[in-house]
Amino acid sequence: MKIAILGSGPVGQTLASKLKELGHEVFMATRNPEETKSRTEPNFMSGISFQDWYVNNKNVHVVAYGNVPKDSDMVLNATSGQHSLSALNMVGPEILKGKTILDLANPLDFSKGMPPTLTICNTDSLGEQIQAAFPKSNVVKSLNTVNFGLMVHPSMVPGNHNLFVSGNDENAKNKVIELLSQLGWQKQQIIDLGDIKTARGTEMMMPFWLSLMNKFESPIFNINIAKS
């Protein structure tokens, strides 16, 4: 597939590297491609700079948001949740029309330090807002409840553990589930929660997830849903 990833941080980088490894043609969209490629400061989450990452990933096409290929098969939103709608608007509704948008972002506000707060919750979600802003696209929420390393290497956590999908369009969800399978997630691990409104629940898991990360002093964990 031809896959466009919005966002050049560790999440976008990790997914881009893995998807290229799997044989997909990958485009990474950012505000200013040349400025992005020249970044030398290590990212606080990954410990490496974009420039160092790009040395080993030059087969990833780094483009401006407005230059996302119109014939992309899927768009992955790996931007910061506060900037997701802005980034998607720069891509534009014509390019996004008919596309499956896999939304990984969480609406977190770090402006007052840790722990962050949710800018959207209870009666709405970022996934719903993206779907409302781009009604001719099919938004699927997933991968927003795990660390970026675990996204592409689920075996880092042993045993059974789960991932969730939310979205209105069944075909789009099936397309995302197939991609998740390529990333290493077993289909029995993936729980379809229902329509895009169910993204409220997974986005509101983030304060709990952050509490667990602080408790374990590691982001490499996941949740297992056990039922009778």
Side-chain angles (χ1 to χ4, degrees), residues 183-204:
L183 295 176
W185 292 91
Q186 301 298 313
K187 290 190 177 180
Q188 63 266 26
Q189 292 180 282
I190 301 168
I191 298 176
D192 183 348
L193 295 175
D195 67 20
I196 195 61
K197 287 183 180 179
T198 62
R200 298 174 190 179
T202 58
E203 290 181 12
M204 287 193 291

Side-chain angles (χ1 to χ4, degrees), residues 89-100:
N89 277 314
M90 283 188 277
V91 175
E94 282 306 308
I95 291 176
L96 295 172
K97 183 179 178 180
K99 298 284 189 299
T100 294

Side-chain angles (χ1 to χ4, degrees), residues 91-113:
V91 175
E94 282 306 308
I95 291 176
L96 295 172
K97 183 179 178 180
K99 298 284 189 299
T100 294
I101 301 174
L102 171 52
D103 175 32
L104 298 79
N106 286 302
L108 297 173
D109 180 4
F110 290 91
S111 64
K112 296 181 181 178

